[in-house]
């Protein structure tokens, strides 16, 4: 059985790399809190313990390697990251396809799955499309989808697709990837109260690492996890341009509950979706309220943010992107337009390969949730949808 105690995780990462410099200790309390929750709440199977151990050790291994490269190449710390674009919408609001579209712009770069999986040494331009780590990443994902056949239908995956920032901040152990993959409510509640500064400092270090051998004009990054930490995000990236996508939050709650319920079967026995939905409804609503607070307090300046309604985006994705570019002062070039249209044309006609879910399956009270989400829907003008 995999040992997921902090001491065992640290020892395994050090042994596999021969390294010991973690680039600071801010991650240690997060690891302690997470491993306590995994042991007490996650209901891990024997295989799940092995999965969790691999997950935790892998995150720390990548951290050690990035820190070691930075020590050997101190010039990386001087690399500038200017006016990155952060997509901060919640699940099922169009963030994934929007992210992939923005990544098609030749003036932009998004961190790809394979380079987040194995960031050392940093990718190089000459081998960026043929790096052997691409195949390694593909094999890992094929293993996951063989165990969770429904995964591909829920979310597009692939080594060459843009990866979410929850995987990056996971190397600081402050990430909502963990409450999505595992039942760890005490950790999630701790995370909602945690100081996220170190996670975004690490995020910057990681992007600097990835661009150390390939110059970057503009980073485009994405994660629903940013919505819970907009203050820390903007403190670390005060010149960031932000795109927040919006959709009926009850659809969001139903979708993320279905996704988390499925993902958790990788490491634990199935959990009733009703339980997962009760947990995630609180998280989602908390995040949406924080996004309003960030606007009202000026944490996100009005000149640096654009809102995209899901229904408008779904009806005309390219038009929505062009409008967002205009709002953010970015040139929408003919080449970007062409590449985005070609990407769209290659996508399946149905959303996420046919991920089917309904709000009714959550067992939640629609009227109660409408009251709790009224502030968000009114503030951003988000309409109700037919739920089913």
């Amino acid at each position: 059985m995999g040992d997921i105690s902090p001491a065992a995780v640290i020892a395994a990462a050090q042994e596999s790399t021969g390294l010991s410099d973690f680039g600071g200790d801010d991650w240690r309390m997060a690891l302690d809190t997470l491993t306590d929750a995994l042991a007490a709440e996650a209901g891990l199977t024997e295989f799940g313990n092995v999965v969790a151990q691999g997950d935790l050790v892998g995150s720390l291994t990548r951290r050690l390697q990035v820190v070691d490269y930075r020590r050997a190449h101190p010039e990386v710390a001087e690399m500038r990251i200017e006016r990155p674009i952060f997509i901060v919408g919640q699940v099922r609001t169009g963030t994934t396809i929007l992210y992939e579209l923005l990544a098609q712009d030749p003036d932009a770069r998004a961190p790809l799955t394979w380079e987040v999986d194995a960031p050392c040494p940093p990718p190089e331009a000459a081998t960026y499309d043929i790096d052997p780590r691409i195949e390694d990443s593909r094999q890992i994902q094929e293993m996951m989808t063989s165990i969770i056949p429904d995964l591909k239908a829920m979310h597009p995956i692939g080594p060459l697709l843009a990866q979410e920032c929850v995987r990056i901040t996971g190397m600081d152990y402050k990430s909502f990837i963990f409450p999505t993959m595992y039942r760890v409510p005490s950790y999630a509640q701790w995370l909602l109260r945690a100081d996220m500064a170190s996670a975004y400092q690490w995020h910057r270090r990681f992007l600097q690492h990835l661009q150390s051998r390939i110059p970057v004009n503009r980073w485009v990054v994405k994660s629903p996890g940013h919505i819970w930490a907009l203050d820390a995000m903007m403190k670390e990236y005060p010149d960031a341009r932000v795109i927040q996508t919006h959709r009926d939050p009850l659809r969001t709650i139903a979708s993320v509950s279905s996704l988390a319920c499925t993902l958790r079967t990788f490491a634990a026995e199935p959990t009733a979706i009703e339980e997962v939905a009760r947990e995630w409804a609180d998280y989602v609503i908390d995040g949406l309220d924080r996004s309003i607070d960030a606007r009202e307090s000026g944490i996100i300046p009005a000149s640096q943010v654009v809102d995209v309604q899901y229904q408008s985006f779904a009806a005309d994705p390219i038009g929505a992107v062009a409008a967002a570019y205009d709002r953010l002062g970015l040139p929408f070039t003919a080449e970007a337009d062409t590449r985005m249209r070609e990407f769209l044309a290659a996508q399946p006609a149905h959303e996420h390969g046919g991920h089917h879910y309904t709000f009714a399956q959550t067992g939640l009270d629609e009227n109660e949730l409408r009251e709790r989400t009224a502030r968000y829907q009114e503030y951003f003008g988000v309409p109700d949808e037919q739920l089913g």
Side-chain angles (χ1 to χ4, degrees), residues 220-371:
V220 177
V221 295
K222 171 252 186 179
S223 173
H226 294 310
I227 208 167
W228 291 284
L230 294 169
D231 52 348
M233 184 189 86
M234 294 303 297
K235 186 174 182 179
E236 183 63 30
Y237 295 101
D239 63 348
R241 289 170 285 194
V242 180
I243 300 177
Q244 184 173 355
T245 51
H246 302 280
R247 192 178 185 181
D248 184 339
L250 273 61
R251 288 288 297 253
T252 294
I253 290 167
S255 178
V256 72
S257 299
S258 175
L259 175 63
C261 199
T262 299
L263 286 173
R264 291 177 183 183
T265 63
F266 193 57
E269 295 298 329
T271 304
I273 191 171
E274 292 87 352
E275 177 186 334
V276 179
R278 286 193 300 272
E279 178 188 346
W280 269 92
D282 291 340
Y283 303 157
V284 169
I285 294 170
D286 180 276
L288 297 177
D289 284 341
R290 290 185 189 208
S291 73
I292 301 172
D293 295 341
R295 303 297 183 90
E296 292 182 338
S297 66
I299 287 173
I300 303 179
S303 61
Q304 292 173 222
V305 62
V306 60
D307 295 296
V308 176
Q309 295 289 341
Y310 173 80
Q311 292 175 336
S312 298
F313 176 71
D316 182 9
I318 302 300
V321 170
Y325 268 51
D326 182 64
R327 176 76 174 82
L328 296 173
L330 295 171
F332 189 59
T333 65
E335 186 175 2
D337 181 287
T338 298
R339 290 191 182 190
M340 290 182 193
R341 290 183 187 278
E342 290 175 348
F343 178 84
L344 275 180
Q347 301 310 298
H350 45 280
E351 186 180 59
H352 293 321
H355 174 203
H356 301 295
Y357 63 93
T358 66
F359 179 81
Q361 292 170 333
T362 67
L364 297 172
D365 185 307
E366 179 179 349
N367 293 329
E368 176 190 350
L369 286 187
R370 286 292 179 213
E371 291 181 9

Side-chain angles (χ1 to χ4, degrees), residues 96-282:
T96 299
I97 190 67
L98 175 61
Y99 188 27
E100 293 293 348
L101 284 175
L102 296 188
Q104 305 308 308
D105 188 334
D107 288 332
R109 178 177 170 193
L112 302 185
T113 296
W114 73 266
E115 55 186 343
V116 175
D117 284 347
C120 288
E124 299 191 46
T127 57
Y128 194 62
D129 297 324
I130 58 172
D131 193 294
R133 288 172 287 184
I134 297 172
E135 181 58 30
D136 294 341
S137 178
R138 178 178 289 110
Q139 290 179 9
I140 292 170
Q141 291 170 44
E142 286 178 355
M143 184 269 290
M144 283 194 66
T145 55
S146 70
I147 297 172
I148 312 177
D150 293 338
L151 183 57
K152 266 192 172 180
M154 292 185 164
H155 192 78
I157 60 174
L160 299 178
L161 293 179
Q163 182 55 261
E164 297 192 11
C165 298
V166 284
R167 288 284 311 284
I168 298 173
T169 58
M171 297 173 211
D172 197 56
Y173 295 116
K174 293 178 180 176
S175 173
F176 253 90
I177 187 97
F178 299 116
T180 308
M181 294 290 297
Y182 308 101
R183 183 185 183 276
V184 286
S186 64
Y187 165 81
Q189 291 301 324
W190 175 87
L191 186 63
L192 290 172
R193 300 187 300 271
D195 181 351
M196 295 293 288
S198 69
Y200 283 91
Q201 290 161 8
W202 175 259
H203 187 276
R204 177 184 289 275
R205 287 189 193 183
F206 194 83
L207 294 187
Q208 287 175 321
H209 176 84
L210 292 186
Q211 75 180 44
S212 61
R213 297 186 184 179
I214 305 177
V216 173
N217 179 42
R218 177 174 68 246
W219 278 108
V220 177
V221 295
K222 171 252 186 179
S223 173
H226 294 310
I227 208 167
W228 291 284
L230 294 169
D231 52 348
M233 184 189 86
M234 294 303 297
K235 186 174 182 179
E236 183 63 30
Y237 295 101
D239 63 348
R241 289 170 285 194
V242 180
I243 300 177
Q244 184 173 355
T245 51
H246 302 280
R247 192 178 185 181
D248 184 339
L250 273 61
R251 288 288 297 253
T252 294
I253 290 167
S255 178
V256 72
S257 299
S258 175
L259 175 63
C261 199
T262 299
L263 286 173
R264 291 177 183 183
T265 63
F266 193 57
E269 295 298 329
T271 304
I273 191 171
E274 292 87 352
E275 177 186 334
V276 179
R278 286 193 300 272
E279 178 188 346
W280 269 92
D282 291 340

